[in-house]
Amino acid sequence: MALNYLSLGTFDLAIASVLVILNGALSFFLGLGLERQLLIATLRMIVQLALIGLVLKTLFALSSPGWTGFAALIMILFAGREIMARQERRMTGFWSYGLGTGCMLLAASLVTIFALTTQVRPDPWYDPRYALPLLGMILGNTMTGISLGLHSLLTGLVRDRSAVEAQLTLGATRWQATLPVTRNALRSALMPIINTMAATGLVSLPGMMTGQILAGAEPMEAVKYQMLIMFLIAGGTAFGSISAVLGAVYWLTDARHRLRLERLRQP
């Protein structure tokens, strides 16, 4: 079925930008001091979206597995940088960047390839028109889950250091001693996607579903795609968060069942 959508012009976007200008004016009159940050964020958004639009247009025209894979790798590397930047306490060495990035690479790639080869099935399966948007949605949510999970774990181990070391002294293994902190970290990582799934449809209409409806798709067809995306996001978030949290526990303990918090950088 051919999709019909209403094209937006520059004037339409200019009218909508008045709302952002009003936000800046309110910040100025209320003394919030956010107008400069708002201006920079708006300009960055405009430039970044314009550039990604040109890049995607080129990638869609090329439909090359090499270029599609390269674009996906760049997305994952930048997402890994965001995970590291969001940590109040960071691990030393390559683990600070490599753990979150590696787990996200594994989780998001496997889930995206799974969707492309079993449910969506474009021809070819690596078609960037499908692969990159799917990866982007899975990547964004997986990044958030891993960030929250690692933040909760690292701060929890520092906070509960005495309790963990007491259990290790009494003969508990490193996995047993860190289990309460690990559980709290995984709850923190998975709660956002659980809340999102619970509210989807009743409280909010997600972006993909809304975009398809605006483009002319049948509502039930848009609903099916949104369900698929939520299932994929939930799987990717859980897979990435669990592997990252358990990997961090492994790195911050050793084979002699000792807590090794010296492997964390000082805040």
Side-chain angles (χ1 to χ4, degrees):
M1 180 182 65
L3 299 183
N4 299 312
Y5 62 92
L6 300 176
S7 179
L8 295 176
T10 304
F11 182 69
D12 300 316
L13 297 178
I15 294 176
S17 69
V18 171
L19 298 174
V20 180
I21 296 173
L22 289 176
N23 287 345
L26 287 173
S27 173
F28 177 77
F29 286 114
L30 294 175
L32 302 180
L34 297 176
E35 50 273 11
R36 184 173 182 273
Q37 293 173 264
L38 183 62
L39 175 62
I40 293 173
T42 302
L43 292 176
R44 281 189 60 181
M45 179 198 69
I46 293 172
V47 172
Q48 290 170 180
L49 285 177
L51 289 175
I52 197 62
L54 294 173
V55 170
L56 288 177
K57 184 177 181 181
T58 303
L59 289 173
F60 292 171
L62 292 173
S63 191
S64 163
W67 283 110
T68 301
F70 179 72
L73 180 62
I74 294 298
M75 293 167 64
I76 292 170
L77 293 178
F78 272 101
R81 175 66 179 81
E82 284 297 312
I83 290 177
M84 184 178 68
R86 295 181 186 186
Q87 302 307 311
E88 183 178 329
R89 295 180 178 273
R90 301 179 186 176
M91 290 174 280
T92 57
F94 181 72
W95 279 75
S96 178
Y97 177 77
L99 177 62
T101 306
C103 292
M104 189 167 49
L105 170 64
L106 183 63
S109 298
L110 287 178
V111 172
T112 302
I113 293 173
F114 169 72
L116 291 172
T117 55
T118 60
Q119 288 98 38
V120 182
R121 298 189 298 275
D123 185 23
W125 70 268
Y126 54 81
D127 188 341
R129 188 177 295 274
Y130 295 90
L132 295 180
L134 281 174
L135 176 64
M137 286 183 282
I138 296 168
L139 204 57
N141 289 271
T142 303
M143 177 185 71
T144 299
I146 293 176
S147 298
L148 292 173
L150 288 178
H151 175 78
S152 178
L153 178 75
L154 301 183
T155 55
L157 286 177
V158 173
R159 182 188 64 241
D160 299 339
R161 177 174 187 170
S162 298
V164 172
E165 290 184 333
Q167 292 188 58
L168 292 172
T169 302
L170 293 173
T173 67
R174 55 180 171 177
W175 304 108
Q176 292 171 333
T178 58
L179 184 58
V181 181
T182 301
R183 283 175 172 165
N184 286 334
L186 293 176
R187 289 191 188 101
S188 298
L190 299 178
M191 193 54 64
I193 185 59
I194 293 174
N195 291 337
T196 299
M197 293 176 71
T200 296
L202 182 63
V203 178
S204 64
L205 293 180
M208 181 177 183
M209 176 180 169
T210 302
Q212 285 197 317
I213 292 174
L214 291 176
E218 291 292 332
M220 286 308 300
E221 195 66 26
V223 165
K224 291 177 186 177
Y225 266 92
Q226 190 59 56
M227 288 181 181
L228 171 64
I229 290 300
M230 296 308 297
F231 294 152
L232 297 175
I233 288 173
T237 301
F239 187 19
S241 300
I242 291 172
S243 56
V245 168
L246 295 182
V249 171
Y250 176 81
W251 173 246
L252 294 174
T253 56
D254 62 21
R256 297 174 63 185
H257 304 286
R258 297 178 299 179
L259 189 60
R260 304 293 300 274
L261 293 186
E262 72 274 9
R263 293 175 177 174
L264 287 178
R265 296 179 185 178
Q266 294 300 318

